[in-house]
Each structure stands twice: as structure tokens, then as C-alpha cells.
Amino acid sequence: MMNPSTFEIIAMASDKSFDPNNYAQEAQEKTVDIFANPNTAKAYEPGSVLKVMTMAGGLDSGSVTAATEETFPAFIEIQGHKIWTWDKKAHGKENMTQVLETSNNVGIIFVQQRMGKSTFYDYFRDRFGFGEKTGIDLDSESAGKLVPLKQMQDVEAANIAFGQGIAATPLQVVASFAAIGNQGKMFEPQIVKEIIEHKGDKKEIKDIKPKFVRQVVSPETAEIIKTMMEDVVLYGYGKEAQVSGYRIAGKSGTAQIPGPGGYLEDKTIHSFVGLAPAEDPKFVILVKLDEPATSPWASYTATSVFSEMASYLF
């Protein structure tokens, strides 16, 4: 949970965890992996939540507008690989807002191809910062993984457009959405708010100011994409994230998990990222569930967790 105005971390939690008061015993019984903070140190393939970043790049570069329409088939073939819509059905004519509402893989690839690989890469790496560390004041941060532009095949770019074939930390994902909620401005994520030093009877307080990094997209683009995400929650696969009386902007994602011989069967990661209240976001929350068993789709799992948390916060 992050404040998108300052990129301050409001809350961060993960499971499974360990008891820091009993470190020696925990170290004997568990692998060293348990001591890493997965929110900052472990990258995963986020899936369809990153369609928002692709769409933001498409809008900001002028490659598409929210009203751009196209007729989309059930699959697209790129370099001999068929890439299907999530439900393996043709979605027909959709505008770009509807592409996000229906989480259309073929539709988001259309946006990526309109941009071209070079512009697409610029937004993902040089603007949103995927493939590089955020600079948060915590140890052992992972940079994630984004294939270099010179090595990126057309099919890889298509997969990355809907959040597969790219590895990002939960923190990187939250930061990218926080930039959308902050008029396109990216700051360095921040844990420490102030440092208090006592020198005799004197107390010195040093405030840690938010550190501006860059303008990711224009304020106009950020506002448009935020409105599109509101429609995802109102009319698309984010309905379970709604909170009565409040405006929510968000996107869910159901991501496959890579294994030794390809993606694992029947195992997925569910995510939902939401900005709220949408008109003036006070927080951005990522809910990430590893291999949930109650439903195959994040639109029924991570979204409801977000709704419960947002209700409590409001």
C-alpha cells in the first residue's frame, strides 16, 4: 500500500513469514529464502495488470486514443506462435477502454504493435522503470527482468504487453500505478519518513523529502488511463473491487507461472491493483495471491480482498 502523492509506503506485508525474535531457530528449520522480503526482493510475471502500462504508453505516444476501435479475432499469430484471448473467443469490435475492460490480449498487442518495439520499450524501461531498481531504502531489492531491446523478438514484445515474459517485483508494479495516480509523476519509493537524533537535551528531526525521479506520462494521459481503469471496475473484470459510495480505478491480472519446461499447468498468480478514491487517489494497493485455489481468476479473488481493505481504509 503506497501513497501515490509521495510514494511513501503506508503498509507492506507478506506470508509466509518468520519470527524475528527467534531468528536462529527459524534459520535452522527453513531455507534462507524465507528471510527475503518478497515485495521488494522477489520478481514474478505480473500478467494483465501491466496492460495498463502498455495502454498508457499507447495513449501517451499518440499511437492510439481511448476511442480507437478495431475488430479483434480470437488469436494473433506472431513468428509462428499463436497468442489467444484469455477466453479463446473473438471479442469483435472494441475501443481501447473496452480492451482493458475485457482484458483482451489480442487488443493490447494491437496497441503494442501500433507503438513499435522501440517506443514500447522506452515506456516500460525508461519511463515506468521495469528492469531497474526503484531505489527504495530497503536492503536486497531486485531489479526484476526485462529483455534488452536489441534482443527482444516480436513475440516477446507481444507477451510483455500483457504482462508475461517480464519479471517485476510487487513494489515495481505498485510504483508504476502510483505514477498513474500522481499525474504521471514517478518518485522514489520511501520507507523512512524522518530521522530523529538526540544530542543531549536537544532533539534534531530530519525530514526525508520525496525524491522526484521523472515524468512517466503526461498529466492528461494519466487522467485518461485512470478513467479507463474506473470503467474496468464498473463494467469489466474488476467489479468485485467496488466499494459502495466510492470511485475505484483498477485492473486485475491472472498470470501463468514459468517452470522448467514452460508455464505450469493449473497454477497461477492473481493480482489486483487499485487506486482510490479515483478522483484524488490517497492510496494504491496491490493484492497478490500465489497459487490460490478458490477460483482460477483474479477477478474473483484478489479484487474482493482489495474491496475489503479499501472499505476499511475509507
Side-chain angles (χ1 to χ4, degrees):
M1 185 189 305
M2 177 184 282
N3 179 347
S5 297
T6 61
F7 279 55
E8 293 172 328
I9 302 296
I10 301 169
M12 181 185 290
S14 63
D15 184 64
K16 301 187 177 210
S17 188
F18 68 96
D19 181 3
N21 297 306
N22 195 22
Y23 182 89
Q25 185 64 34
E26 296 273 7
Q28 291 178 7
E29 296 178 354
K30 299 174 182 176
T31 64
V32 69
D33 192 51
I34 194 70
F35 301 117
N37 178 356
N39 294 298
T40 59
K42 295 183 181 180
Y44 72 112
E45 296 195 14
S48 291
V49 293
L50 293 197
K51 287 174 181 170
V52 171
M53 282 64 248
T54 302
M55 188 65 74
L59 293 168
D60 198 62
S61 63
S63 304
V64 295
T65 69
T68 298
E69 286 188 329
E70 186 61 44
T71 300
F72 299 109
F75 69 88
I76 184 172
E77 188 166 342
I78 303 174
Q79 294 181 312
H81 298 272
K82 285 184 178 180
I83 302 177
W84 294 81
T85 56
W86 69 269
D87 54 2
K88 295 197 172 184
K89 295 178 181 178
H91 287 203
K93 182 180 284 188
E94 290 185 335
N95 62 35
M96 295 301 98
T97 299
Q98 291 167 326
V99 165
L100 287 185
E101 287 176 17
T102 63
S103 203
N104 187 342
N105 294 341
V106 176
I108 207 69
I109 292 171
F110 166 81
V111 178
Q112 181 272 313
Q113 291 179 333
R114 277 280 189 99
M115 296 167 67
K117 275 192 297 187
S118 180
T119 301
F120 172 68
Y121 186 85
D122 172 62
Y123 277 94
F124 262 66
R125 177 61 187 251
D126 300 328
R127 306 283 193 104
F128 283 109
F130 293 108
E132 61 182 24
K133 296 179 180 181
T134 68
I136 192 172
D137 43 340
L138 288 174
D139 194 22
S140 304
E141 182 186 6
S142 169
K145 187 176 181 181
L146 178 63
V147 63
L149 177 60
K150 290 182 178 179
Q151 300 173 19
M152 187 181 289
Q153 300 294 314
D154 290 346
V155 68
E156 289 178 301
N159 281 316
I160 293 168
F162 57 89
Q164 299 279 179
I166 177 176
T169 63
L171 178 64
Q172 288 173 320
V173 175
V174 166
S176 65
F177 276 82
I180 298 295
N182 191 32
Q183 298 183 318
K185 295 180 178 69
M186 176 80 74
F187 284 81
E188 202 171 79
Q190 179 182 339
I191 285 285
V192 178
K193 188 175 182 69
E194 62 183 17
I195 297 173
I196 303 173
E197 291 186 355
H198 292 272
K199 296 181 179 180
D201 294 333
K202 295 182 178 180
K203 183 168 70 172
E204 294 183 2
I205 300 177
K206 178 185 177 183
D207 289 326
I208 310 298
K209 303 296 184 184
K211 182 179 178 182
F212 177 73
V213 178
R214 58 183 163 264
Q215 187 77 33
V216 177
V217 295
S218 70
E220 294 78 15
T221 296
E223 193 62 33
I224 292 169
I225 196 74
K226 194 171 62 173
T227 301
M228 294 168 79
M229 286 195 292
E230 278 193 76
D231 284 347
V232 170
V233 174
L234 286 172
Y235 311 115
Y237 290 110
K239 291 179 181 177
E240 296 294 326
Q242 293 181 22
V243 179
S244 180
Y246 293 92
R247 292 165 56 189
I248 309 293
K251 181 73 181 77
S252 64
T254 303
Q256 292 179 289
I257 302 173
Y263 287 103
L264 302 178
E265 294 287 337
D266 302 324
K267 288 187 177 181
T268 53
I269 293 175
H270 293 186
S271 302
F272 182 83
V273 190
L275 291 160
E279 66 274 17
D280 183 20
K282 295 295 187 284
F283 56 82
V284 53
I285 296 176
L286 164 64
V287 176
K288 172 178 173 282
L289 306 174
D290 293 343
E291 301 178 24
T294 56
S295 170
W297 308 113
S299 53
Y300 294 104
T301 57
T303 48
S304 58
V305 177
F306 172 90
S307 178
E308 186 174 345
M309 293 177 70
S311 297
Y312 168 77
L313 288 167
F314 287 141

